[in-house]
Amino acid sequence: MKIVRVETFLVPPRWLFCRVETDEGVVGWGEPVVEGRAEVVRAAVDVLAEYLIGQDPLRIEDHWQILSKSGFYRGGPVLSSAVAGIDQALWDIAGKTYGAPVHALLGGPVRDSVRVYAWVGGDEPARLVEEITEQVEAGFTAVKMNAAGRTSPITTLAETNAVVERVAAAREVLGPDRDVAVDFHGRFGPAGVRRVLQEIGPLHPLFAEEPLLPEHGHLLPGLVAASPVPIATGERLYGRAEFLPALAAGIAVAQPDLSHAGGISEVHRIASLADTYGAQLAPHCPLGPIALAASLQIAFCTPNFLIQEQSRGIHYNKDADLLSYVVDTEPFRFEAGQARRTGLPGLGITVDEEAVRAADRRGHAWRNPVWRHADGSFAEW
């Protein structure tokens, strides 16, 4: 079996899909994207495809090594994301070829269902009580919310109090048996986030996500030691080497993204590395159905898995949603906040190719917002 074609599709709301076709008619799908830079990743996939044409798709590890390392300049979000989507597609082909789900090829299942959480509140959190109530009524046992919108380099008393009030409102709706995770999105300065973490500690968040920018990773040991809230990070880390210092710093939850951190192959290795540090895995995934399907395959076979992000109803989804490009929505039917394991081969989903091709003809040019402080200076989004 040989790879004969690699195609990419720019599909709304902000995704990039990859289709890898073989001469035996087996097709695999992946989702290589950097949100806001999808066109750049598309170009990277085109370059990597030059190597793939004519290759045996089942030599997944060898291809991962070549695609990741054969260029003198390595790493970074664009290359790692391009490799990630291709890697997902190759695992999809392998599963379809062997008639097994990817998690079976990675050692078999360790659980029958995966806990997932829902997003609430939007980029500048609002309507939390109403939205959390809706998610609880839908059966979810956990939600995630942004801590705040644009934030001062050192948080003011009003900003700190506002975060506490939001988390307290969430806790009031959720009660003691459900969870709220709080995403800081790298928007807070190191001093401000230490202050806020102390204040929300008594409200028992499941974790505090990305409390520091990735370039401030050298400050993680002190933050972890001082924080009463478990620290999670990793959506902007792209491989084992980048996760190592974060894990050594004592983070509680590693959050690699299956569409950014080298795909299924590398995230499987990151999960094992995290396990040696007693850290849990909670893959980042505010993306499309292929990325979520790949994430679930990892979740089903990872002993130290904690919870899975998913994008149903997320504030970024304007022109399409998680279910817009799949033929069968059953793999993404969540009951009591859980995704059930299936025996479907490959990634476990059937992509609606006609819908994908039609969406690509429309395309998108999604860009993340650019925020500024009141004085006109740049603010972290």
Side-chain angles (χ1 to χ4, degrees):
M1 185 163 58
K2 304 295 182 186
I3 296 171
V4 295
R5 185 178 293 106
V6 178
E7 299 175 272
T8 53
F9 305 91
L10 202 63
V11 298
R14 57 179 192 156
W15 305 330
L16 182 71
F17 294 170
C18 174
R19 180 184 184 272
V20 178
E21 181 180 344
T22 70
D23 59 353
E24 295 186 10
V26 183
V27 171
W29 289 87
E31 194 168 333
V33 68
V34 173
E35 301 93 299
R37 300 289 185 268
E39 303 94 329
V40 184
V41 181
R42 184 178 220 176
V45 173
D46 289 344
V47 172
L48 296 179
E50 297 172 4
Y51 158 78
L52 288 169
I53 300 301
Q55 298 288 336
D56 177 356
L58 301 181
R59 296 189 62 177
I60 299 173
E61 182 59 32
D62 187 56
H63 296 328
W64 192 94
Q65 295 291 327
I66 296 297
L67 295 176
S68 298
K69 299 179 179 180
S70 63
F72 183 73
Y73 298 100
R74 306 176 181 180
V78 171
L79 177 61
S80 294
S81 298
V83 172
I86 292 169
D87 183 80
Q88 293 169 16
L90 296 182
W91 278 105
D92 195 26
I93 289 171
K96 291 171 179 174
T97 299
Y98 297 126
V102 169
H103 68 260
L105 305 182
L106 293 173
V110 296
R111 58 180 50 82
D112 296 321
S113 64
V114 166
R115 190 186 187 199
V116 298
Y117 64 79
W119 261 97
V120 294
D123 251 343
E124 302 196 61
R127 291 192 66 250
L128 286 170
V129 171
E130 299 94 324
E131 292 191 16
I132 294 172
T133 300
E134 290 171 6
Q135 298 300 345
V136 169
E137 291 174 350
F140 286 95
T141 62
V143 298
K144 188 170 81 176
M145 54 183 256
N146 279 311
R150 71 203 74 201
T151 304
S152 302
I154 296 180
T155 53
T156 66
L157 176 59
E159 289 171 334
T160 299
N161 287 344
V163 177
V164 176
E165 289 167 7
R166 291 184 193 106
V167 181
R171 176 56 65 204
E172 181 69 21
V173 178
L174 293 165
D177 297 320
R178 299 182 184 90
D179 286 307
V180 58
V182 183
D183 190 351
F184 288 84
H185 220 250
R187 295 172 181 169
F188 290 61
V193 82
R194 286 171 70 105
R195 175 179 283 161
V196 173
L197 288 171
Q198 290 295 329
E199 295 293 327
I200 66 172
L203 295 166
H204 208 85
L206 179 63
F207 54 74
E209 178 172 333
E210 209 174 29
L212 296 174
L213 291 166
E215 55 262 40
H216 293 155
H218 57 286
L219 301 177
L220 269 174
L223 184 67
V224 169
S227 176
V229 181
I231 299 299
T233 198
E235 70 188 74
R236 288 187 273 185
L237 303 178
Y238 309 116
R240 285 161 287 165
E242 294 184 27
F243 269 92
L244 183 58
L247 290 164
I251 64 168
V253 183
Q255 296 179 296
D257 189 307
L258 270 288
S259 283
H260 300 329
I264 290 169
S265 295
E266 183 70 349
V267 172
H268 191 237
R269 293 186 281 258
I270 291 168
S272 295
L273 178 64
D275 198 28
T276 67
Y277 285 89
Q280 300 293 296
L281 191 79
H284 179 256
C285 189
L287 294 171
I290 303 170
L292 179 57
S295 298
L296 291 174
Q297 293 301 320
I298 286 289
F300 287 129
C301 66
T302 297
N304 56 319
F305 169 82
L306 178 66
I307 196 167
Q308 179 61 55
E309 180 173 25
Q310 54 84 31
S311 69
R312 286 276 293 276
I314 199 170
H315 46 288
Y316 303 122
N317 295 348
K318 304 298 184 185
D319 301 316
D321 200 68
L322 183 66
L323 306 182
S324 298
Y325 303 110
V326 292
V327 174
D328 178 13
T329 61
E330 185 65 19
F332 299 140
R333 183 165 63 88
F334 306 133
E335 292 185 346
Q338 302 273 332
R340 300 293 302 179
R341 181 171 62 85
T342 77
L344 297 172
L347 296 181
I349 60 170
T350 301
V351 174
D352 185 340
E353 186 170 327
E354 183 177 343
V356 168
R357 291 186 182 277
D360 181 59
R361 288 193 288 271
R362 299 193 309 274
H364 71 82
W366 188 87
R367 302 290 183 262
N368 62 251
V370 176
W371 283 358
R372 293 184 181 276
H373 293 298
D375 65 359
S377 62
F378 172 78
E380 289 289 344
W381 171 75

